[in-house]
Amino acid sequence: MELTRKSALFFILSLLFFVPLAHAHGHHHAHDSGAIQTVAEADLPPEALETLALIKKGGPFPYARDGVVFSNREHQLSSQTRGYYHEYTVKTPGERTRGPQRIVCGPWPECYYTADHYRTFKRITGER
């Protein structure tokens, strides 16, 4: 019985100490709400592939705002210095405006896809 109490106490103390310590150092796990998911380039919508191809070759881009600095106000991506990220429009079928889809890139090949106007991002993986 004493061993069980000591084990339980050790477990509780380790949760109180190690979990806050891990978060203080910025360690994130796949189950954390802030973890960025991934999407294979091959699984992107065709319009996102078109935008990615334009980014890869440096344009020309169809929208005046393509390539502007992305400020990351939503803090969904890691904090970086201003000018690190740039955003590009992904044409959304049926939309008369720019629509909600974007690709945001840091230094090549670090790019992210958002289908919901910056609420969530997925890191693009695969051939680029």
Side-chain angles (χ1 to χ4, degrees):
M1 188 71 160
E2 185 62 30
L3 185 58
T4 304
R5 282 187 186 161
K6 285 183 182 178
S7 297
L9 181 61
F10 177 77
F11 176 74
I12 292 169
L13 289 175
S14 67
L15 285 177
L16 292 173
F17 179 75
F18 291 113
V19 170
L21 183 65
H23 286 281
H25 289 289
H27 298 292
H28 294 284
H29 303 284
H31 63 275
D32 286 355
S33 61
I36 298 280
Q37 295 180 347
T38 60
V39 60
E41 182 176 329
D43 293 333
L44 289 171
E47 297 81 12
L49 291 174
E50 290 172 16
T51 301
L52 202 56
L54 289 175
I55 295 167
K56 188 182 211 178
K57 70 178 195 172
F61 300 101
Y63 297 92
R65 303 239 348 122
D66 286 345
V68 299
V69 170
F70 175 69
S71 62
N72 197 27
R73 283 190 293 266
E74 296 81 4
H75 303 288
Q76 295 296 318
L77 302 178
S78 65
S79 293
Q80 301 291 341
T81 57
R82 178 165 170 70
Y84 183 89
Y85 296 114
H86 294 267
E87 67 173 276
Y88 304 87
T89 305
V90 174
K91 184 170 175 41
T92 302
E95 287 283 339
R96 291 173 49 194
T97 63
R98 290 172 66 209
Q101 297 183 87
R102 302 284 187 278
I103 291 179
V104 174
C105 294
W108 191 258
E110 180 188 356
C111 291
Y112 303 87
Y113 170 73
T114 176
D116 54 16
H117 203 255
Y118 319 123
R119 282 198 301 270
T120 61
F121 285 92
K122 293 181 181 180
R123 173 98 188 236
I124 302 170
T125 62
E127 290 293 317
R128 282 193 294 293

